[in-house]
Amino acid sequence: MQCHNMTEKIDINKDAKKIVLVGNPNVGKSVFFNALTGAYVDVSNFPGTTVDISSGRYKDMVVMDTPGVYGVSSFNDEERVARDVILYADIILNVVDALHIERDLFLTQQIIDMGKPVVVALNMMDEVKKNGIEIDVDKLSQELGVPVIPTVAVKGEGIEEIKEALLHCARVGNRLPIVEENLQAVRHLVDEDSEALLVLEEDESIIARHNISGIKGMREQIYQARRERVDEIVKKVMRQTNRGASFSVKLGRWMLSPLTGIPILIVVLWLVYEFVGVFVAQTVVEWTEGLIMGEYYYNFIMNLLEPILGTESFLGQLLIGEFGVLTMTPIYVFGLLLPLVVGFYLVLSIMEDSGYLPRVAVLTDRSLNYLGLNGRAIIPIILGFGCVTMATIVTRILGSRRERFIATMLLALTIPCSAQLGVIAGLLGPLGIKMTALYLFVILLVFAVVGTLLNRVVPGKSTDLMIDLPPLRLPRIGNVLKKTYVKSKAFITEAGPLFLLGTVIISVLQYTGILDLIADGFAPIIEGFLKLPRETAVAFIMGIIRRDFGAAGLNDMVSQGLLNPSQVVVALIAITLFVPCIAAVMVIFKERNWKEAILIWVSSFIISFLTAGIVAQVIV
């Protein structure tokens, strides 16, 4: 909030009328606030919070700003402050982003349901015209029952009309029928209709404030009715004309339509794979892992320490052995992982800065709903094809613990990382289209079935997709490079120590002989149920350490003629669905609680062998 003069404190008369500005984040409220109050503004913390509230004067009325919120509720400090200021408002100036009225009108309708006199500033109307959209402002005003003034606040358009409406035209709008019908049930307990509505919407602090008990809330029913009402209004008042729309606007719409959006997404994902999965994972990594770290660095560290430590001692194996802290860890983290992370975050930053990533989320939202996720989950899923470890960290962007668990489970189970994917593609290529199609069908089937089952059995409720659709634009190089650097650095900082711990554990298991015992324990299942050679057990154990190690082990077996085509498919299904690599496992334990992490690990193991075994019984 820009405040021009911090020295003159506003004396707020309690009896003065209060105009309160309300709106979603980034709708331009500050412009209206400054236009109404001029240069004299007081900024102070709202009692009991760290949230700043700005206040000033317009004529003989007090003007108060509120934090940008999507609803009047008490889920966080901003929403609690907005709610409490709104409750004592005499007039509401609701600023709405005209380009996103289907989102912003949800808050508008809630304010109207509270019974407050409202004026709606329909802001950013110039963006509406640029996007080839027409809004029937008079019809919108009629549907809401309150004045609606079209504005372009940054240019001063509509400001005088807003001032006039605040003085003479603000009025109570058209409440939802379900609200009108049920307010009577709580009016004898709460004096104000605005607080009575929040009681119906199960606002715990308002209920506690009035010491109310035994009232049956209607939050879900009211929210559903409000969403349906807003959708109905938008259909009546908004019309897509495409007149004046630029090519970028039209392209943005094509990206949202399944008919055109899905082919565009396939092309984009192919380009991403060619860049990250082929160029970075093969060409760049061959240079960084194979030459710089795998040859120069490895030879340097071995020549330096092998004469001192040897390779047979425990300390020698721990530091410079096959899974050594000074050999495998830096070679993996800086030779393989860092280039992949930088490559994927570069692509992700380009997609984000261009405005394409939010459109992918919207395009895939309905499909992901069947799995208990919303469209935002497509981001970690896409990232998983680069590195599941990185993607697991990115599940933090999802809105609920339930969604984060489902997404982590699907990532750990069904998404092969780019390093593994390159080996898998190389093994499937010579087998022909039928075997490749079988492999893809089984993996996609497991993805869909497991996601659907988790959606039904995991307690809780997933969140709805709330996402802005910014205009498409050419990515800004500075932004892209900065985001790539910051995110890559943060990932390596988090994942590096976890992988270091994993290599220590594997080194101890190898030195004590436990690793060989585990491989021997796998052998009967692999030979009997999966119908694969005994040597395949070693490849699976290596897959725990690093996914592409397991796939590379299978590649060696194919080169030696130990696997026929049917066995290759069975082995690839098993290695794809098998437990994630040690780095990913460590991150899963960090991101989820230990019970969820163990459940994910054990489930991956069981589903992998069970699925591959069933396929083996049919085709081998």
Side-chain angles (χ1 to χ4, degrees), residues 1 3 33 41-44 52-56 63-66:
M1 175 66 65
C3 302
F33 182 83
V41 177
D42 177 44
V43 179
S44 59
D52 286 339
I53 286 293
S54 298
S55 59
V63 181
M64 300 181 72
D65 197 8
T66 59

Side-chain angles (χ1 to χ4, degrees), residues 1 27 59 207-208 232 242 268 315 355 398 417 431 459 513 531 545 590:
M1 175 66 65
V27 294
K59 297 189 180 297
I207 292 172
E232 177 188 341
N242 284 331
V268 170
L315 191 58
L398 304 181
C417 65
L431 302 185
K531 299 185 178 181
I545 301 165
K590 182 177 182 294

Side-chain angles (χ1 to χ4, degrees), residues 465-531:
L465 178 65
M466 295 288 290
I467 193 168
D468 289 333
L469 287 180
L472 283 181
R473 64 185 181 190
L474 288 174
R476 288 169 288 189
I477 296 176
N479 279 0
V480 169
L481 294 179
K482 184 177 181 180
K483 288 179 182 178
T484 302
Y485 170 75
V486 170
K487 292 178 179 178
S488 299
K489 180 183 177 182
F491 171 75
I492 293 297
T493 302
E494 287 203 57
L498 295 174
F499 184 76
L500 176 64
L501 177 60
T503 56
V504 170
I505 294 172
I506 292 296
S507 294
V508 171
L509 292 177
Q510 185 189 42
Y511 184 78
T512 57
I514 296 175
L515 200 60
D516 292 333
L517 292 176
I518 295 173
D520 292 339
F522 275 128
I525 300 174
I526 289 172
E527 289 182 308
F529 187 47
L530 300 186
K531 299 185 178 181

Side-chain angles (χ1 to χ4, degrees), residues 269 272-273 276-277 281 340 344 378-388 390-391 411 414-422 443-444 447:
L269 292 180
V272 170
Y273 174 73
V276 180
L340 289 171
F344 244 93
I378 196 65
I379 298 172
I381 289 174
I382 291 175
L383 283 175
F385 287 100
C387 177
V388 172
M390 173 173 54
L411 284 168
T414 61
I415 306 297
C417 65
S418 60
Q420 184 189 36
L421 196 58
I443 301 302
L444 290 174
F447 181 88

Side-chain angles (χ1 to χ4, degrees), residues 96-218:
V96 170
D97 180 350
L99 197 59
H100 298 102
I101 60 171
E102 70 282 355
R103 177 200 67 191
D104 289 24
L105 287 184
F106 188 89
L107 175 61
T108 305
Q109 185 62 56
Q110 187 178 25
I111 295 167
I112 289 171
D113 289 338
M114 296 176 77
K116 297 287 185 180
V118 178
V119 172
V120 173
L122 195 61
N123 198 25
M124 306 183 193
M125 286 295 289
D126 52 339
E127 292 295 326
V128 170
K129 293 177 182 177
K130 288 179 183 177
N131 281 267
I133 298 171
E134 289 182 356
I135 296 177
D136 189 333
V137 177
D138 292 337
K139 182 68 174 175
L140 178 58
S141 178
Q142 179 185 338
E143 292 290 330
L144 295 174
V146 299
V148 177
I149 313 297
T151 66
V152 183
V154 293
K155 298 179 180 178
E157 297 177 13
I159 296 294
E160 293 305 317
E161 289 83 351
I162 289 292
K163 292 179 177 179
E164 179 68 20
L166 289 171
L167 291 174
H168 304 293
C169 303
R171 59 181 180 270
V172 176
N174 300 326
R175 280 192 177 123
L176 292 173
I178 189 174
V179 170
E180 201 65 68
E181 292 166 7
N182 289 278
L183 275 178
Q184 193 61 39
V186 293
R187 275 187 173 128
H188 66 289
L189 299 171
V190 184
D191 294 334
E192 291 286 336
D193 277 4
S194 53
E195 293 193 351
L197 173 70
L198 295 178
V199 170
L200 289 176
E201 294 189 4
E202 304 174 27
D203 188 305
E204 294 180 358
S205 59
I206 297 296
I207 292 172
R209 185 181 299 175
H210 292 276
N211 196 25
I212 296 171
S213 61
I215 291 293
K216 182 181 179 182
M218 303 187 64

